[in-house]
Amino acid sequence: MTATVSSTGIDSVLNETRTFPPRRAAELGMPRWHIASPEEYHALHRRSIEDPEGFWGGIAQELHWFKPWKKVLAWNPPDAKWFDGAKTNLCYNCVDRQVIQGHGDDVAILWEGEPMPGGEPEVRRLTYKYLQQQTARLANALKSLGVKKGDVVTVYMGMVPELAIAMLACARIGAAHSIIFGGFSAQAIVDRVQDAKSNVIITADGAWRRGSIVPLKANVDAACADLQKANAPVDHVIVLRRCGNEVAWHPERDKWLGDLLADAPDHCPCEHMDAEDMLFLLYTSGSTGKPKGVLHTTGGYMVYTYLTSKYVFNLIPDCGQVLWCTADIGWVTGHSYIVYGILPNRVTSFMYEGAPNQPDPARFWDIIERHKITQFYTAPTAIRAFMKWGDQHVAKHDLSSLQVLGSVGEPINPEAWMWYHRMIGREKCPIVDTWWQTETGGQMITPLPGVTATKPGSCTLPFFGVDAAILDEQGNEQPHNTGGLLAIRKPWPSMLRGIYGDRQRYIDTYWSTFKVKGNKPANCPSPYYLAGDSSRRDADGYFWIMGRVDDVINVAGHRLGTMEVESALVAHDAVVEAAVVGMPHEIKGTGIAAFVTLAPTHQPTDEKASDKLKESLRAHVSQEIGAIAKPDMIRFTDALPKTRSGKIMRRLLRSIAAGDTSVTQDTTTLEDLSVLAKLQENDES
Ligand code: WTA
């Protein structure tokens, strides 16, 4: 074990020395690796950094543009313009282009529904031709409701093909989509719809989840009622019939998606979009209570997600590849690697509606065998759950179709990496551990299969065009194996272009940390992008991500702001104050620990009352944000540990939540030492 402390105070303790060299493509049933050798990678990477315009201008030719760009990159920190002056359309590149080139009958999306116990799973094969017709129909329907280029359409659905159709239909007519994960609550819809000034919502009657129905339409109804009161009425709600559950109906506002599609013509030209026109908003948690609308634009995002998909998964059309990214489309991973990056590569994207253990824990392996999945992209939290469920579920299935395995969402612990390699990858498939963020749009630090020797737990080397570095706050590079802040020093095509409606927050969050001497652009304090993660780089230049440096936690691969959960808790009658921190969790990686002080009127009298109150707080958080934000542990306390200036000492709480009884941290600034003693005495729940 090594432990170093840098000037940023970040410790690095992981010391993993195993290395796995790349395999030959033929061993995995592929004609070739796109990038053939480490030398080729390094030469191309150097070129992409030294001459980004030449590199990206060349790559962009592989896609369709209605009008060419005047300039590949204009960089005026923190504002980048990629392919400025060009016109294109991402739906066209995903769908129409494939049809025009004679591939209309190829399967674009292969979908499987959640099976009912004892029932046969429902499978749908959506060809490029069919996608073209359906997106055109929905695009026409949206237009008939008055949706125009530049409007924001909110989408709140389960993992059904119509979700992909909805996003492509928006892209087709130049409306931006704001997709809200179907596990979020009515309150989350209110916040996002209001912030985005969106007045059209596409949803479904319900979504299947482990045999029960998530009442999506009812949540939308509740949100709409609140929005009405807040003077931000929603004009149209389009509803897919999926579960057949009963729903309330507002005839002046609600329309069945099926009726709209049946009435709409199946031809609708793709809007010629400026490369820098908005493509979508995606809300993500930050350090404050309010989620931020991360804004992505059209041209650069298209080129970057296309190229990362191609190289990181080694996609080759006409080779029978079927890529399965298990993320929900409601997260950025689903946006980029189920739809936008994959379809322009003309391979089949597999989409699954259900849970990994429904009806049994072998579900995923059964799917891989039946559909001959070639690329499988999932999260460490899922891998840890599979490990726990047992090898026997994997062993009874033939996984020999697999070519490349991917991981995303949080650092993968070496033990899970090894299990993935051995049990799923047959010790043959390269594992691409891809580091990236909602803000980066696409994969940033990742192995390339066939090229990069992998080390369990490292996301290895930067992708083309990515100038990643480990810096201290002055912008100085840290020596090998010293922890520091992960920064990106050059613009890349799919970078976020802003936080919707909040310019200052964009600058403060991402462009203010590095105090680089003499290199200050006029309108932003730092020329480098701050990712919000800490990391170290080893002697081979490999990156090892250590975790977030802000008040954002990664729960089961999903980002949550601790402040969001705190606000939800404090909104409960019984709560006076709350502090939320991450704590180690066997499956989720990070769990949520909440320290709560109660109003005198709500003090529980015995253990039973205390448990009941905890349950009610959990339910409350679930209602305010969504089930993913439910605290795993709640501890009631008379007071929170604070500094003399009144700041909650989160590091201290983190140690306590991790079960560290001999807190060794500096407590000299702690206002009331008895608080600490009491917190340590309290039993966990
Ligand atoms: C974390 C998900 C280590 C990281 C695409 C980042 C990772 C945050 C990895 C973004 C990885 C994502 N190794 N950490 N391979 N991938 N992260 O916006 O902390 O939901 O900042 O995007 O997840 O989460 P987001």
Side-chain angles (χ1 to χ4, degrees):
M1 297 279 255
T2 55
T4 46
V5 181
S6 73
S7 59
T8 44
I10 297 165
D11 303 349
S12 169
V13 288
L14 189 71
N15 190 14
E16 168 64 57
T17 50
R18 284 170 290 197
T19 303
F20 295 83
R23 309 291 290 233
R24 288 184 305 113
E27 277 181 89
L28 292 148
M30 266 180 294
R32 63 180 181 280
W33 298 117
H34 283 297
I35 305 293
S37 67
E39 294 71 35
E40 187 181 351
Y41 159 77
H42 285 294
L44 264 181
H45 187 262
R46 197 171 323 112
R47 162 145 195 258
S48 72
I49 298 297
E50 286 167 5
D51 176 22
E53 298 204 43
F55 180 85
W56 290 111
I59 299 296
Q61 313 276 359
E62 296 178 28
L63 295 160
H64 181 84
W65 303 81
F66 299 116
K67 191 177 151 213
W69 47 90
K70 290 202 184 80
K71 189 159 171 44
V72 173
L73 168 65
W75 178 223
N76 181 19
D79 301 304
K81 283 188 179 164
W82 285 90
F83 307 105
D84 204 23
K87 300 263 187 199
T88 188
N89 185 293
L90 191 40
C91 179
Y92 185 94
N93 276 288
C94 285
V95 178
D96 296 59
R97 186 165 153 264
Q98 318 297 14
V99 175
I100 289 164
Q101 295 183 352
H103 304 291
D105 294 331
D106 289 9
V107 178
I109 294 177
L110 172 60
W111 175 85
E112 182 160 321
E114 184 181 278
M116 298 302 120
E120 278 296 301
E122 187 186 348
V123 173
R124 286 175 66 187
R125 291 183 170 76
L126 290 80
T127 62
Y128 286 100
K129 179 95 199 105
Y130 177 82
L131 263 191
Q132 187 185 37
Q133 285 166 351
Q134 293 303 96
T135 58
R137 283 179 195 274
L138 182 52
N140 282 324
L142 288 170
K143 278 195 196 169
S144 74
L145 296 177
V147 177
K148 317 174 291 304
K149 181 177 164 182
D151 290 352
V152 180
V153 174
T154 299
V155 183
Y156 179 66
M157 301 175 100
M159 282 289 283
V160 287
E162 286 76 10
L163 171 51
I165 290 169
M167 62 201 283
L168 289 164
C170 289
R172 196 169 188 90
I173 60 171
H177 50 72
S178 163
I179 303 181
I180 303 176
F181 170 56
F184 279 129
S185 66
Q187 186 55 47
I189 305 175
V190 174
D191 298 341
R192 287 158 175 77
V193 165
Q194 213 168 0
D195 187 79
K197 299 177 213 53
S198 170
N199 64 7
V200 179
I201 302 180
I202 305 179
T203 187
D205 50 2
W208 289 116
R209 197 66 189 162
R210 295 199 170 88
S212 59
I213 296 173
V214 183
L216 297 179
K217 172 66 163 63
N219 289 348
V220 169
D221 288 339
C224 286
D226 282 0
L227 285 159
Q228 185 80 36
K229 278 187 226 137
N231 241 341
V234 170
D235 297 334
H236 303 287
V237 175
I238 301 174
V239 189
L240 167 76
R241 230 236 197 286
R242 170 66 193 139
C243 301
N245 51 318
E246 233 174 83
V247 292
W249 204 251
H250 303 255
E252 70 298 341
R253 190 195 69 193
D254 300 346
K255 311 229 161 14
W256 288 111
L257 178 69
D259 294 346
L260 285 177
L261 293 183
D263 294 343
D266 66 3
H267 178 77
C268 171
C270 290
E271 191 75 32
H272 290 200
M273 302 297 289
D274 282 333
E276 282 299 336
D277 275 338
M278 178 157 75
L279 178 68
F280 65 81
L281 292 178
L282 183 54
Y283 282 83
T284 186
S285 298
S287 310
T288 74
K290 191 173 162 247
K292 49 198 180 192
V294 169
L295 192 159
H296 282 286
T297 58
T298 306
Y301 174 85
M302 170 173 85
V303 173
Y304 194 86
T305 54
Y306 160 75
L307 193 74
T308 46
S309 301
K310 176 174 170 177
Y311 286 172
V312 175
F313 298 122
N314 205 58
L315 300 185
I316 304 172
D318 303 318
C319 288
Q321 287 180 333
V322 184
L323 176 141
W324 181 13
C325 164
T326 68
D328 192 288
I329 287 185
W331 307 104
V332 73
T333 307
H335 281 59
S336 299
Y337 300 107
I338 294 178
V339 181
Y340 287 135
I342 306 305
L343 299 185
N345 276 289
R346 197 163 57 75
V347 301
T348 299
S349 184
F350 178 79
M351 188 174 168
Y352 177 53
E353 182 183 35
N357 53 356
Q358 176 73 18
D360 65 63
R363 183 76 192 134
F364 273 23
W365 322 124
D366 169 45
I367 288 179
I368 290 176
E369 179 173 5
R370 275 189 294 115
H371 293 295
K372 301 207 171 20
I373 301 294
T374 47
Q375 274 75 6
F376 180 65
Y377 191 31
T378 195
T381 181
I383 297 169
R384 287 190 294 266
F386 301 143
M387 285 169 74
K388 195 167 171 195
W389 294 338
D391 294 0
Q392 71 277 17
H393 302 293
V394 185
K396 60 183 184 210
H397 290 284
D398 174 6
L399 306 183
S400 60
S401 57
L402 289 170
Q403 298 171 341
V404 178
L405 303 178
S407 172
V408 61
E410 56 177 306
I412 180 167
N413 45 309
E415 196 195 347
W417 196 102
M418 288 306 300
W419 184 87
Y420 202 26
H421 171 70
R422 197 167 39 79
M423 283 306 292
I424 312 303
R426 314 175 316 281
E427 299 187 11
K428 251 190 188 174
C429 299
I431 295 181
V432 290
D433 173 7
T434 61
W435 175 86
W436 59 294
Q437 309 177 291
T438 304
E439 291 87 342
T440 70
Q443 299 153 339
M444 299 290 280
I445 308 182
T446 172
L448 294 183
V451 175
T452 317
T454 47
K455 305 184 191 184
S458 169
C459 55
T460 75
L461 300 169
F463 190 74
F464 301 124
V466 176
D467 181 17
I470 313 290
L471 306 178
D472 67 11
E473 284 172 9
Q474 275 62 48
N476 303 311
E477 272 206 84
Q478 299 289 77
H480 290 324
N481 285 322
T482 305
L485 301 169
L486 178 57
I488 315 293
R489 292 184 294 197
K490 287 224 156 75
W492 65 101
S494 64
M495 63 190 273
L496 80 165
R497 301 298 196 265
I499 292 175
Y500 192 68
D502 201 340
R503 173 79 180 166
Q504 199 54 46
R505 194 171 173 197
Y506 173 60
I507 294 173
D508 293 347
T509 311
Y510 307 109
W511 303 98
S512 296
T513 298
F514 302 105
K515 318 266 177 324
V516 181
K517 268 196 220 108
N519 195 6
K520 228 168 262 174
N523 54 350
C524 92
S526 152
Y528 302 157
Y529 170 83
L530 175 79
D533 281 326
S534 59
S535 177
R536 74 180 163 96
R537 210 170 182 180
D538 69 18
D540 296 326
Y542 278 39
F543 285 81
W544 298 78
I545 306 293
M546 288 145 61
R548 299 286 311 181
V549 289
D550 53 10
D551 291 326
V552 172
I553 48 179
N554 243 314
V555 179
H558 297 145
R559 250 164 90 167
L560 280 173
T562 51
M563 282 273 283
E564 265 177 275
V565 186
E566 285 165 9
S567 318
L569 283 166
V570 173
H572 189 285
D573 283 347
V575 178
V576 173
E577 200 173 32
V580 167
V581 294
M583 64 174 196
H585 188 285
E586 195 192 348
I587 301 290
K588 298 180 185 177
T590 305
I592 302 175
F595 295 87
V596 172
T597 58
L598 295 171
T601 44
H602 286 76
Q603 296 292 340
T605 43
D606 55 24
E607 208 169 307
K608 218 171 135 206
S610 168
D611 289 347
K612 211 170 143 214
L613 182 54
K614 284 178 187 172
E615 222 15 79
S616 136
L617 292 182
R618 285 198 183 97
H620 180 74
V621 172
S622 178
Q623 198 192 333
E624 292 279 307
I625 305 175
I628 47 166
K630 273 193 208 176
D632 297 285
M633 179 195 94
I634 296 179
R635 241 185 244 190
F636 296 139
T637 165
D638 295 339
L640 292 169
K642 288 187 188 163
T643 62
R644 281 171 206 143
S645 61
K647 269 186 90 167
I648 295 174
M649 298 178 75
R650 287 165 189 283
R651 269 178 78 122
L652 203 61
L653 290 176
R654 272 197 286 271
S655 304
I656 295 168
D660 181 357
T661 46
S662 60
V663 174
T664 49
Q665 283 157 29
D666 183 8
T667 51
T668 48
T669 55
L670 182 64
E671 170 70 10
D672 177 1
L673 262 175
S674 66
V675 172
L676 177 61
K678 278 200 196 136
L679 274 171
Q680 287 174 326
E681 268 167 29
N682 270 348
D683 274 340
E684 249 183 49
S685 77

